[in-house]
Amino acid sequence: MNFESKLPNVGTTIFTIMSQLAVDHKAINLGQGFPDFSPDETLLDLVTQAMKEGHNQYPPMAGVVALRQQIALKVQALYGHQYDPETEITVTSGASEALMASILAFVRAGDEVIVIEPFYDLYIPVIELAGGKPVIVPMTAPTPQAPAYRVDWQRVRDAITSKTRMLILNFPHNPTCINLTPADLDSLESIVQETGILLLSDEVYEHLVYDDQPHQSVARRPLLAAHSIVVSSFGKTYSATGWKIGYCCAPKVISAEIRKVHQFNVFTVTSPMQVALAHYMKNEDAYLSLPAFYQQKRDRLLKGLANTRFVPMHSEGTFFLMADYSNISDLPEAEFARWITVEHGVGVIPVSAFYRQPDAPESNHGLIRFCFAKRDETLDTAIEKLAGI
Ligand code: PMP
Ligand code: GLN
């Protein structure tokens, strides 16, 4: 059959490729972001209970009411913004579906959407499916003097034109592990004030923030909240990435448009998990304890890497950590990632995969990404192998 692909540049995601390579070579998988431990038994029991109690048919299109109420309470408690569970919160099939529904609902052919590079792989293909044009604004790359990525908000502001429909944000940031600060929210407020732009804020790592720095959700500022779709994921928060349940919060008129796409994409999301999550969310400790839980893992990996030739970068948030390998090799990142997976038994992700042109020299800074959402034994075994390189 003769047809032209709508996504000619899309292949299999780097996460799938590297996980498969790790399986094929029996490597420890510190690549794709998922925990190698189970969710809390209590949560698992709540799912069984929900099924046995008969929550097995279609739940409401926008999500189980009790779950939306719990999300509203949490967001209000943590960030101070009150979303109406009835009209402003939608439970989705993972953060992925929330992101896709948001982009498809708002981006028309020819619209520009600003994406900050490096970026999570989903955004650009979805913008293109909607007929939009991604406009890439690069972060300032790390240098020996300033060894962290950062966003130049003036560059973001300068990229906004009359055609710009949306600005996509993702903090805590995958893969650079940087968080927003109150000063960043100030800059975003100025941008929104001047341009009225719609923000799509991917905050799936909202609960994974370290060193006593609270997550700076755009929902903290009324002006930003009024212009934002805030997306999160229960997969990250409750160590259940395979459940694919997330949600988005946005003002009523925006949520109404997102729901139009959601109802014809998946209509609704698996009911027993939603009922279980609604009960489980009442225990605030389950998410409030996450920074301490994951900070210990981050520091275990950091300490281990100190005995290797990798130079780790600081991770302020997410369950990832980047490390510089230029003391070991000058291979491009994709080749290096393959090499240590195959030859040294530790699967990782090349940071260049988060760039528009992964093979270009400008996208290669000698960095790989490790996921530390792993049991201590897994991290220790991986560190042992890395120390041998
Ligand atoms: N956004 C980012 C930045 C992510 O890292 C992920 C990871 N999976 C997602 C969205 C998708 O989340 P989900 O699995 O809930 O669809
Ligand atoms: N978000 C995960 C990561 O960055 C992967 C999700 C996926 O495999 N699509 O590793």
Side-chain angles (χ1 to χ4, degrees):
M1 204 168 78
N2 233 345
F3 66 89
E4 202 181 322
S5 171
K6 289 181 76 177
L7 296 170
N9 302 318
V10 170
T12 306
T13 82
I14 189 71
F15 310 111
T16 302
I17 289 174
M18 294 312 291
S19 279
Q20 189 57 51
L21 195 68
V23 170
D24 292 347
H25 293 270
K26 298 191 172 49
I28 296 177
N29 191 355
L30 303 191
Q32 191 179 25
F34 64 90
D36 74 342
F37 41 86
S38 290
D40 187 350
E41 283 285 325
T42 310
L43 177 56
L44 302 183
D45 290 344
L46 284 167
V47 175
T48 311
Q49 190 186 320
M51 284 182 176
K52 291 199 168 152
E53 282 172 358
H55 295 285
N56 301 299
Q57 311 307 330
Y58 293 130
M61 179 271 279
V64 163
V65 176
L67 179 57
R68 282 184 277 147
Q69 285 167 343
Q70 287 302 318
I71 294 168
L73 288 172
K74 182 198 80 169
V75 174
Q76 157 77 27
L78 293 183
Y79 311 129
H81 190 82
Q82 197 138 26
Y83 287 102
D84 178 356
E86 188 55 36
T87 56
E88 300 188 313
I89 296 175
T90 308
V91 179
T92 56
S93 185
S96 304
E97 198 236 333
L99 293 163
M100 183 144 191
S102 301
I103 294 169
L104 291 182
F106 285 97
V107 177
R108 289 190 163 84
D111 283 352
E112 294 181 356
V113 179
I114 298 180
V115 180
I116 297 171
E117 183 181 58
F119 48 77
Y120 184 60
D121 64 356
L122 173 148
Y123 312 138
I124 293 211
V126 180
I127 294 165
E128 289 175 344
L129 265 185
K133 180 171 167 257
V135 174
I136 311 277
V137 175
M139 281 193 196
T140 308
T143 60
Q145 293 75 34
Y149 277 89
R150 54 179 193 82
V151 180
D152 181 343
W153 294 110
Q154 189 56 48
R155 268 184 103 156
V156 173
R157 171 66 190 88
D158 292 345
I160 298 175
T161 70
S162 57
K163 289 192 184 146
T164 312
R165 181 63 272 195
M166 183 184 267
L167 162 60
I168 300 184
L169 303 170
N170 166 221
F171 299 96
H173 189 263
N174 182 8
T176 67
C177 313
I178 61 171
N179 294 348
L180 289 182
T181 63
D184 292 321
L185 292 185
D186 293 344
S187 301
L188 278 166
E189 273 185 336
S190 306
I191 291 175
V192 167
Q193 204 137 35
E194 267 180 57
T195 61
I197 195 168
L198 177 63
L199 307 177
L200 176 55
S201 188
D202 177 349
E203 303 186 10
V204 298
Y205 300 104
E206 63 177 321
H207 297 298
L208 312 187
V209 288
Y210 310 120
D211 309 312
D212 298 321
Q213 297 301 314
H215 170 55
Q216 298 296 333
S217 174
V218 295
R220 284 178 185 271
R221 303 282 175 97
L223 175 71
L224 297 181
H227 285 82
S228 295
I229 304 160
V230 181
V231 174
S232 193
S233 169
F234 290 110
K236 319 287 167 185
T237 305
Y238 294 138
S239 305
T241 59
W243 290 10
K244 294 299 300 183
I245 304 182
Y247 61 89
C248 58
C249 304
K252 181 177 172 180
V253 286
I254 295 177
S255 291
E257 296 304 311
I258 294 170
R259 288 178 181 186
K260 289 178 190 174
V261 179
H262 168 75
Q263 74 173 346
F264 293 132
N265 182 14
V266 295
F267 177 62
T268 187
V269 175
T270 178
S271 51
M273 268 78 171
Q274 288 197 63
V275 172
L277 286 165
H279 284 294
Y280 192 68
M281 277 191 86
K282 291 180 191 153
N283 172 16
E284 297 161 12
D285 211 43
Y287 53 81
L288 295 179
S289 61
L290 283 174
F293 173 76
Y294 273 118
Q295 187 166 322
Q296 175 267 335
K297 296 198 175 292
R298 178 198 68 172
D299 293 346
R300 195 177 190 97
L301 179 58
L302 266 179
K303 200 162 149 239
L305 287 174
N307 298 322
T308 71
R309 294 165 72 201
F310 291 91
V311 180
M313 288 176 68
H314 185 55
S315 171
E316 299 176 337
T318 76
F319 44 40
F320 304 118
L321 182 157
M322 294 189 301
D324 181 301
Y325 62 80
S326 43
N327 287 336
I328 299 169
S329 162
D330 52 14
L331 282 175
E333 292 174 10
E335 280 176 50
F336 183 81
R338 263 193 95 78
W339 178 72
I340 71 162
T341 307
V342 173
E343 300 297 330
H344 293 278
V346 181
V348 297
I349 301 289
V351 174
S352 58
F354 295 77
Y355 284 76
R356 189 90 205 250
Q357 293 179 305
D359 297 329
E362 312 84 79
S363 313
N364 281 265
H365 303 89
L367 295 172
I368 47 165
R369 190 197 76 178
F370 293 107
C371 173
F372 54 76
K374 305 292 167 188
R375 285 171 288 137
D376 288 350
E377 309 86 86
T378 310
L379 292 175
D380 292 348
T381 315
I383 289 161
E384 235 173 77
K385 289 177 184 281
L386 295 172
I389 303 177

